[in-house]
Amino acid sequence: MMSAVLVAGVSVVIVATHENRIYSAEEKTWRRLEHSGVPVRARIEALKRSEHGLTRGGTHGQTVHAVELVLEIFDKTGASHPAAVRTLIDEVLLPQFCVAGADVHLLRDPEDASIRR
């Protein structure tokens, strides 16, 4: 019985650590782009919570939720293309991102258009 509990605990830690890395990568991209990124506009198509409902404490004591935003991104010519961004969103701000059709502002990497924040 004890070994089953231990295996289950280890499995939870492995899944949470892997999922945390996926969503935390977006924060590293943000730090890189916050001064050099090219502003672009996107429209929220959908918001999906992480498969395992990952939440954690934020940098200012708040709770952040791991989500995947399904977006339609518009370039300056008006052309659009779909994208998905996995990120952590502050619990207080989450309702604003749940509204399909709402606009959000992202930063595009000037060197690599496939990387956005």
Side-chain angles (χ1 to χ4, degrees):
M1 177 72 170
M2 187 63 150
S3 62
V5 171
L6 182 61
V7 168
V10 169
S11 297
V12 167
V13 169
I14 290 170
V15 167
T17 301
H18 173 70
E19 206 169 355
N20 189 38
R21 266 192 236 126
I22 291 170
Y23 292 93
S24 295
E26 191 64 26
E27 182 179 1
K28 291 175 187 168
T29 302
W30 166 253
R31 291 186 196 280
R32 190 169 52 79
L33 296 179
E34 70 181 320
H35 298 294
S36 64
V38 176
V40 295
R41 183 180 67 85
R43 182 178 57 231
I44 297 173
E45 300 294 322
L47 178 140
K48 301 176 195 173
R49 307 258 335 240
S50 74
E51 183 180 344
H52 301 285
L54 177 68
T55 63
R56 70 173 199 200
T59 56
H60 302 290
Q62 78 278 31
T63 300
V64 293
H65 296 265
V67 299
E68 179 178 307
L69 288 169
V70 179
L71 305 166
E72 190 69 23
I73 297 179
F74 300 92
D75 64 22
K76 55 184 156 185
T77 68
S80 68
H81 61 277
V85 176
R86 290 181 174 177
T87 191
L88 297 165
I89 297 179
D90 188 316
E91 184 172 55
V92 174
L93 300 175
L94 200 55
Q96 297 172 28
F97 289 90
C98 292
V99 179
D103 280 352
V104 292
H105 301 280
L106 308 175
L107 295 175
R108 182 181 58 78
D109 187 332
E111 304 299 319
D112 183 356
S114 70
I115 299 175
R116 294 170 189 85
R117 171 71 174 100

